[in-house]
Amino acid sequence: RYGLWFRLRKLIIWLLGVYIAIPFLVKLCPAIQAKLVFLNFVRVPYFIDLKRPQDQGLNHTCNYYLQPEEDVTIGVWHTVPAALWKNARGKDQLWFEDALGSSHPVILYLHGNAGTRGGDHRVELYKVLSSLGYHVVTFDYRGWGDSIGSPSERGMTYDALHVFDWIKARSGDNPVYIWGHSLGTGVATNLVRRLCERETPPDALILESPFTNIREEARSHPFSVASTQYFPGFDWFFLDPITTSGIKFANDENVKYISCSLLILHAEDDPVVPFHLGKKLYNIAATSRSFRDYKVQFVPFHTDLGYRHKYIYRSPELPRILREFLGKSEREHHH
């Protein structure tokens, strides 16, 4: 009995040591907190070959590699509209690039943290958008998937800008929309703010499961909500290092400088980015002077639907929502 108590006491002391050490480690090394925000080291699903999108059922998709900066290479997937599926079979990269000039709108999709451009829910969304007649261009930021480079907010935004410019150089007069999901909404508003400042805005911005800023999102995360109850100084130990790392993803600030149509999609039962943050962002955007000449729309998805954080693509209403919202943008584009 004494031996069991001795081992138990050792375990308790060890756990207490870890409990105390981890916050100090995070505080002293903000890079750890950056990794927890990006989760770029998590590659789910495992064992997929990103050079072969057809293995994920994307038979009308081409894999490219682009170079936004020296020492940075990013992997890109381009899925053509379903109407071009037969023509696309066996075609090379040049054909796919030329196809961007066909009379179909383009969606640049910016994914969230963790996983790659080949994530299951992402692939399913590409298929839905392709079936609705859109080109879908998506990529892994530097440090994700098979993309080379070190992740940072500045780098992710620059990668997105590079891909946007690459699309615009090939898409002629076709509308180009930007769709960000979760952490990708932070990249999307960074990008669109920059595009609006240089007077080359996209035709519309779609934010799926967005937050206000990364600090507020981190504070609202289920892990953080539980931790703040049991851990004194949580903000100082865990949230301040995010800011120290230069990670802001300030959607709430960015929307004040964006001038294009905005659509926000959010599920009420989202366990990762709480619904109230998406609603708060909408309220900021809807009252912003920068949107006074543009449509700003918020579409909630009821808890009973079970779409949570990443299954809005399953909504049978999504085609109608996009048709009505983007149809208006396309009419404005052509006039």
Side-chain angles (χ1 to χ4, degrees), residues 95-117:
W95 182 91
F96 274 82
E97 289 190 39
D98 287 345
L100 284 168
S102 64
S103 58
H104 294 273
V106 185
I107 291 178
L108 169 57
Y109 178 78
L110 304 169
H111 69 63
N113 68 358
T116 67
R117 61 192 184 275

Side-chain angles (χ1 to χ4, degrees), residues 19-74:
Y19 179 76
I20 292 166
I22 286 175
F24 280 101
L25 197 61
V26 169
K27 186 69 184 174
L28 294 170
C29 306
I32 294 172
Q33 189 66 321
K35 284 194 184 308
L36 293 176
V37 171
F38 296 140
L39 292 177
N40 58 301
F41 54 89
V42 178
R43 283 199 56 167
V44 183
Y46 295 100
F47 312 121
I48 72 166
D49 184 351
L50 292 168
K51 292 183 179 69
R52 293 178 51 83
Q54 60 269 33
D55 292 351
Q56 310 310 308
L58 294 169
N59 294 317
H60 49 319
T61 298
C62 189
N63 181 62
Y64 310 139
Y65 291 96
L66 301 179
Q67 195 167 10
E69 294 179 298
E70 201 178 346
D71 303 326
V72 175
T73 306
I74 56 174

Side-chain angles (χ1 to χ4, degrees), residues 110 176-180 184-185 187-193 202-207 255 258 260-264 291 295 297 325-326 329:
L110 304 169
V176 179
Y177 309 120
I178 291 167
W179 183 312
T185 65
V187 182
T189 66
N190 280 351
L191 169 63
V192 176
R193 175 176 176 175
D203 293 277
L205 170 62
I206 300 162
L207 301 178
V255 293
I258 286 173
C260 69
S261 298
L262 171 65
L263 173 64
I264 295 178
F291 283 107
K295 186 177 181 182
Q297 186 179 348
F325 181 81
L326 295 179
S329 300

Side-chain angles (χ1 to χ4, degrees), residues 108-128:
L108 169 57
Y109 178 78
L110 304 169
H111 69 63
N113 68 358
T116 67
R117 61 192 184 275
D120 294 343
H121 63 285
R122 294 163 188 162
V123 168
E124 293 308 315
L125 179 64
Y126 313 153
K127 290 175 183 175
V128 169

Side-chain angles (χ1 to χ4, degrees), residues 237-305:
F237 276 115
F238 288 98
L239 300 186
D240 289 353
I242 297 178
T243 313
T244 307
S245 301
I247 303 171
K248 296 187 174 71
F249 291 113
N251 289 336
D252 49 356
E253 272 303 302
N254 288 340
V255 293
K256 297 173 186 172
Y257 299 91
I258 286 173
S259 44
C260 69
S261 298
L262 171 65
L263 173 64
I264 295 178
L265 310 169
H266 214 134
E268 291 176 357
D269 59 338
D270 190 326
V272 178
V273 180
F275 179 77
H276 71 86
L277 290 186
K279 188 71 174 167
K280 184 176 178 181
L281 182 65
Y282 165 73
N283 290 333
I284 294 167
T287 56
S288 170
R289 289 179 59 201
S290 68
F291 283 107
R292 64 182 177 270
D293 297 325
Y294 298 94
K295 186 177 181 182
V296 180
Q297 186 179 348
F298 183 85
V299 179
F301 294 87
H302 197 272
T303 302
D304 293 349
L305 297 166

